[in-house]
Amino acid sequence: MATVAAPPSKSFSHRAVIAAALARGTSRLTGLLDSQDITRTRACMAAMGADFHPQSDGSLIVSGVAGRPQGGDPEGDAPALLDVGESGTTCRLLVAVAAAGKGVFEVRGEGRMHDRPIGELVRALLPLGVEILYLEKSGCPPLHIAAKGLRGGEALISLEESSQYLSGLLLAAPMAAAPLTINISGQKTVSWPYVAITLSMLADFGVPFAVETLEGDDAWKKADWRALTDVVPGRTRFVMQPAPYTPREHAVEGDWSSASYFLAAGAVGREPVTVTGLRPDSLQGDRAILDILAAMDARIDVSPEGVTVLPSGLSGRELDMGRCPDLVPTVAAAACFASGETDIRNVAHLRLKESDRIEAVAENCTLAGAVVTTTADGMRIRPKALRTDQRVAFSSFNDHRLAMSAALFELAGIDVVLDNPGCVAKSFPTFWEKWATIEK
């Protein structure tokens, strides 16, 4: 049996860094993920005035900006540069945070970032008193932000492309000059669990808020946000009050997204795999990997020692993965080992990730031997005999999740060759070291 410790949660790490950096005082973060994306978020918050002091025990001391993210002098010629690299989370969360600050900011990235959408968030921010200009392509970074602080009032945001737009507004709202009510538009929402993570971080750093749902035609009532499983556009709103972030100690939990590759390996490989450091009651949407693997007939044991998945004969299933899109590369690879077709749907927003994850996942599964048909919002995977005992060149598409999911094909006997295995450093720098412990 292989035992692997889950790395710290990337989603929680981003939000913990931001909350601590916005606080009035000094916070201590433990268990923080050390990855390229988190390094980008730290650097951007440092550019806005926060100080970070790594400790010998691995913790991080953060001196916050007391709710005043600082940009460049509007009369000068040097904006505060927020280089988000290829981190979409950093970009979408910090565009809103910068808009709540004072001064001039420039948001830039690299790779596919300048083709990834940000227009919906910009449209929501403009009525709140900020000036934002697109420097290249309309609707995408890079951006020039001239901020004088948010004035409060009402904001309207759609979550059809990304829940990160709402998370950014929620993180920025406590710094507004007046109460801010955030309403949800559009026809559907995606990735609600990531919003729940944002709300939990606000609560942890002492920020008051209320989530309200519309009962009947005109009665808004406070809802228990921890019990919500989805946000209904037009019938859910977030009521935010001006408030300081309170400094504190915060421990980051283990990451279910990164654990998914090892849990799937337990199901399709030769030996059980146990992953330690995961919270079974986590708010992370990617905890759904257990429900998905169980639905596909995987044998699973959850104990105080960790989560164990045993070698299993998997069956294809119909899966709505709108709440856990980051699991699609993992689940699609596992589906190639199953008997029967797997239909993955409600993940159209995957086309806007580091790669077009629908087409990229389909290409790698096809290279492994499966028959894959892509649809507008997902894919159908029909397993065939995998190309065992062959050397297959897979593309990572410079996408960390594509690289890690392709590793699963080694468990079929395929000699997996990747063009850029190092791209896993974006979220899981030690992935290959831990993957080497899995029996091939």
Side-chain angles (χ1 to χ4, degrees):
M1 176 185 293
T3 300
V4 177
S9 164
K10 185 161 78 82
S11 298
F12 273 96
S13 292
H14 277 298
R15 290 156 176 81
V17 166
I18 294 169
L22 294 176
R24 181 179 296 157
T26 301
S27 298
R28 180 172 178 264
L29 306 179
T30 59
L32 197 71
L33 178 66
D34 181 12
S35 75
Q36 290 177 351
D37 279 11
I38 304 306
T39 297
R40 293 291 187 178
T41 293
R42 283 177 53 178
C44 289
M45 293 309 304
M48 289 191 266
D51 289 320
F52 297 91
H53 307 281
Q55 304 298 295
S56 59
D57 62 358
S59 65
L60 183 68
I61 301 298
V62 185
S63 297
V65 301
R68 294 188 293 273
Q70 189 61 50
D73 184 349
E75 303 301 323
D77 56 4
L81 178 61
L82 309 182
D83 185 350
V84 303
E86 294 187 83
S87 176
T89 305
T90 304
C91 183
R92 288 165 174 164
L93 300 186
L94 295 192
V95 163
V97 168
K102 299 288 180 66
V104 180
F105 305 86
E106 186 173 305
V107 180
R108 287 190 170 273
E110 60 187 43
R112 201 166 180 245
M113 184 55 61
H114 290 184
D115 293 316
R116 297 182 68 180
I118 197 73
E120 178 62 28
L121 178 57
V122 170
R123 284 190 290 273
L125 288 167
L126 289 177
L128 302 179
V130 63
E131 297 178 8
I132 303 178
L133 299 175
Y134 297 111
L135 298 178
E136 293 179 9
K137 181 190 298 185
S138 179
C140 299
L143 304 173
H144 180 276
I145 301 173
K148 300 178 182 178
L150 301 181
R151 59 183 171 221
E154 299 269 340
L156 186 66
I157 193 77
S158 168
L159 307 188
E160 292 185 1
E161 288 180 347
S162 174
S163 67
Q164 291 170 352
Y165 300 149
L166 173 57
S167 285
L169 284 174
L170 290 169
L171 290 166
M175 297 181 285
L180 176 62
T181 298
I182 304 170
N183 297 286
I184 309 303
S185 64
Q187 300 300 312
K188 68 173 185 176
T189 63
V190 297
S191 305
W192 159 253
Y194 291 100
V195 178
I197 291 173
T198 303
L199 294 175
S200 75
M201 196 62 63
L202 291 174
D204 203 34
F205 280 81
V207 175
F209 60 86
V211 181
E212 298 180 349
T213 55
L214 187 61
E215 304 291 338
D217 294 329
D218 57 5
W220 288 96
K221 292 187 177 180
K222 187 174 181 179
D224 178 0
W225 62 270
R226 291 182 180 274
L228 287 178
T229 58
D230 202 357
V231 168
V232 180
R235 304 189 72 84
T236 310
R237 69 183 187 184
F238 300 79
V239 181
M240 311 296 294
Q241 303 292 330
Y245 283 81
T246 302
R248 62 152 298 143
E249 292 198 7
H250 179 86
V252 176
E253 66 179 72
D255 193 290
W256 280 93
S257 307
S258 296
S260 71
Y261 313 103
F262 295 91
L263 297 173
V268 305
R270 299 179 180 180
E271 62 173 359
V273 176
T274 297
V275 181
T276 62
L278 296 171
R279 285 187 57 171
D281 63 344
S282 176
L283 291 172
Q284 295 178 56
D286 289 348
R287 185 204 169 282
I289 187 63
L290 289 190
D291 300 325
I292 292 170
L293 289 175
M296 297 176 73
D297 297 332
R299 294 182 294 153
I300 299 169
D301 178 60
V302 179
S303 72
E305 287 70 42
V307 179
T308 301
V309 181
L310 296 88
S312 310
L314 298 183
S315 303
R317 291 289 184 263
E318 292 188 7
L319 301 170
D320 182 337
M321 298 187 65
R323 288 168 49 84
C324 52
D326 283 348
L327 291 179
V328 168
T330 309
V331 172
C336 294
F337 291 77
S339 60
E341 186 174 282
T342 294
D343 186 358
I344 296 172
R345 63 181 186 277
N346 197 25
V347 291
H349 49 301
L350 281 183
R351 296 189 183 279
L352 306 174
K353 296 286 188 175
E354 288 88 337
S355 65
D356 178 339
R357 280 192 186 154
I358 291 178
E359 299 300 333
V361 167
E363 181 175 322
N364 278 351
C365 289
T366 300
L367 285 172
V371 176
V372 185
T373 303
T374 60
T375 63
D377 74 339
M379 67 191 75
R380 288 187 294 275
I381 301 166
R382 181 160 58 88
K384 293 182 66 178
L386 297 180
R387 298 171 61 183
T388 55
D389 301 321
Q390 295 187 46
R391 188 174 188 268
V392 179
F394 293 93
S395 176
S396 68
F397 299 90
N398 292 318
D399 186 331
H400 54 135
R401 301 205 184 281
L402 268 294
M404 291 185 279
S405 62
L408 285 165
F409 295 123
E410 292 184 353
L411 303 180
I414 296 174
D415 181 8
V416 172
V417 179
L418 278 168
D419 56 349
N420 183 16
C423 68
V424 301
K426 189 173 191 295
S427 64
F428 196 167
T430 60
F431 173 80
W432 295 113
E433 174 187 336
K434 294 188 176 186
W435 186 253
T437 67
I438 303 299
E439 182 181 348
K440 309 302 190 292

